[in-house]
Structures are given as structure tokens and as C-alpha cells.
Amino acid sequence: MESTVDLVNILGAAALLLWGLGQIKTGIMRAFGTKLRQWIAKGTKNRVSAAFWGFFATLALQSSTAVAVITASFAAREFVTLGMAQAVMLGANLGTAIVALVLSADVSAFSSLLILIGVAMTLRAQSLTTKGVARAVLGLGLMLLALRLMDDATLPLRDSRIVATVLAALGDAPLLAVLLASGMAVIASSSLAVIVLAMVLAGAGSSRRRWRSIWSPGRISAARSPRCWPRPPTGSRRGV
């Protein structure tokens, strides 16, 4: 029974994480969607500026997939060349890595404050831009709250032999791990969500270094994240 409850808690936290990411993307697109597309289109005059705008757009949208869709539509209409589109996606990949690195730190303490600000802005918002920003702030708060819930829900996994056996099997089958991560990224429409899930599982002490590196779909190795370092024994002090 406890295993079922733990699984439901993990899935619920993952669903909240995806919902928060979706709210951020929807809010930013409604507030600055047209301007963001114009900035990306105008910023592809050279590879450096194209990479910068891809990086900036990913930080704003919290989704390199959304940036890829926008860039692909521009490339299909020949608004940008394929070389510039590749530069935009390089910047988008870097943006995803930076976001994952930031989320690897203990930033969940800001979740309540962001949710409070987001709700207050939503109640007082008048313009579409303000409503979009409010939705994005609320989504960010929900995403950080989901990280806290997922971190708590995965603590029992440290003592689960079944989970350890499954993850060990994935570590010995890198191709299967890559396919699993790719499938989850496609279903969730977010590689960032898959990376965060890998980091949380690693933080619970359940996954091995090799498996963590393979499962993160080409963005950032979760093994280097402070969130993934082993937890100190009960009663000991963290850090210096």
C-alpha cells in the first residue's frame, strides 16, 4: 500500500511540474509571443546573436521545444537559414542546461512566495500582458513546489530494492535508457522535465552515475548537480 501511495505522490508531483512548465510557456507566449517571434527573427543576422536569442527565449519559455517549433516554422518559410536555425537551437540547448543547473540548487523555498505573487497579480491584472506574466510567475511557483513534493516523495526510493534493481538494469542497457528518456521527453513535450526527474531520483540516492548521464537526454549531466550529491547521515550538518 505504501508503495502505491509513493508512486501516486511521484506521479502527482510530476504532473504538477509539467503543469507549471506549461503555465510558464503559455503565459510568456500570451504576454510576449509576437514580440518574441520578432526578436528571434531579427536576431538571426549572425550566429552569435542567433544563439543568444535562442538562449534567451528558452529561459523565458522554459522550453527548448517551443523554441524549436518557432525556429522550424521560420526555417520552413525561409525567414531564417538552416545554419542560423542550428545556432538558435544551440542557444536553446544551453538555456535548458542553465535552467536545469539552477533548479538543481535548493530553490524550492521560493515556491510559496512566487505562488502568492502570481495569484495576487492574476486578481489585479487588467491587460493581457500582465495576465500572461502573472500566469508565468504562478507557473514558476508551482514548478518549484512540484520539485519539493517530488523530492519528498522519492525519499523512500533509497530503501527500495526493486527500484534499485530496475535502475541498475537501465544502467547496464544504455540504449534502452536513451529510448526511455526520449519517449518520456516526447510524451511530456519537455526534456527539462525528464532531466529534473532524473536529478530528483539521483538525489534520493537511487540511480547510478552512468544511468543518470545516459537518461538526461543530451542536455546536462545530472551527476554533476549538487542536488544529486549523497545526502549526509541523519544528525550531521550539511556543508561548511
Side-chain angles (χ1 to χ4, degrees):
M1 184 63 181
E2 292 183 0
S3 300
T4 303
V5 173
D6 292 336
L7 178 60
V8 171
N9 289 337
I10 294 173
L11 293 177
L16 184 61
L17 174 65
L18 292 176
W19 177 262
L21 286 172
Q23 293 302 301
I24 295 174
K25 181 170 63 175
T26 301
I28 294 298
M29 288 300 293
R30 289 185 178 180
F32 309 106
T34 303
K35 293 182 180 179
L36 191 60
R37 292 187 181 94
Q38 293 174 351
W39 292 337
I40 294 177
K42 294 180 180 179
T44 54
K45 296 180 180 180
N46 59 72
R47 293 179 183 273
V48 176
S49 63
F52 169 77
W53 282 111
F55 171 77
F56 176 78
T58 301
L59 291 183
L61 295 174
Q62 297 290 297
S63 174
S64 58
T65 304
V67 177
V69 170
I70 295 174
T71 306
S73 65
F74 287 164
R77 298 175 185 177
E78 297 183 352
F79 291 161
V80 298
T81 63
L82 292 179
M84 293 301 173
Q86 291 177 347
V88 172
M89 290 313 302
L90 283 176
N93 290 340
L94 178 60
T96 299
I98 295 298
V99 171
L101 183 62
V102 171
L103 293 179
S104 68
D106 188 11
V107 293
S108 60
F110 297 99
S111 60
S112 299
L113 177 62
L114 290 173
I115 292 174
L116 178 62
I117 294 174
V119 171
M121 290 180 63
T122 301
L123 295 177
R124 299 179 61 87
Q126 299 293 333
S127 63
L128 292 177
T129 300
T130 306
K131 290 181 180 179
V133 173
R135 179 183 289 239
V137 173
L138 180 58
L140 181 58
L142 292 176
M143 185 178 68
L144 296 182
L145 176 61
L147 287 178
R148 183 192 303 174
L149 295 176
M150 192 178 296
D151 193 31
D152 294 338
T154 53
L155 287 179
L157 296 180
R158 291 181 297 177
D159 302 324
S160 176
R161 295 182 179 181
I162 297 177
V163 174
T165 301
V166 172
L167 297 183
L170 286 175
D172 295 331
L175 180 59
L176 179 59
V178 170
L179 292 176
L180 176 61
S182 300
M184 293 181 64
V186 170
I187 294 174
S189 297
S190 174
S191 59
L192 178 60
V194 179
I195 294 174
V196 170
L197 179 59
M199 290 193 300
V200 173
L201 289 176
S206 298
S207 58
R208 299 188 303 176
R209 178 182 297 270
R210 181 186 176 192
W211 179 83
R212 293 195 299 260
S213 302
I214 294 172
W215 207 39
S216 297
R219 306 294 189 185
I220 183 173
S221 174
R224 297 183 179 181
S225 166
R227 194 185 189 91
C228 303
W229 294 346
R231 295 173 180 266
T234 305
S236 64
R237 297 181 59 185
R238 293 186 178 181
V240 178

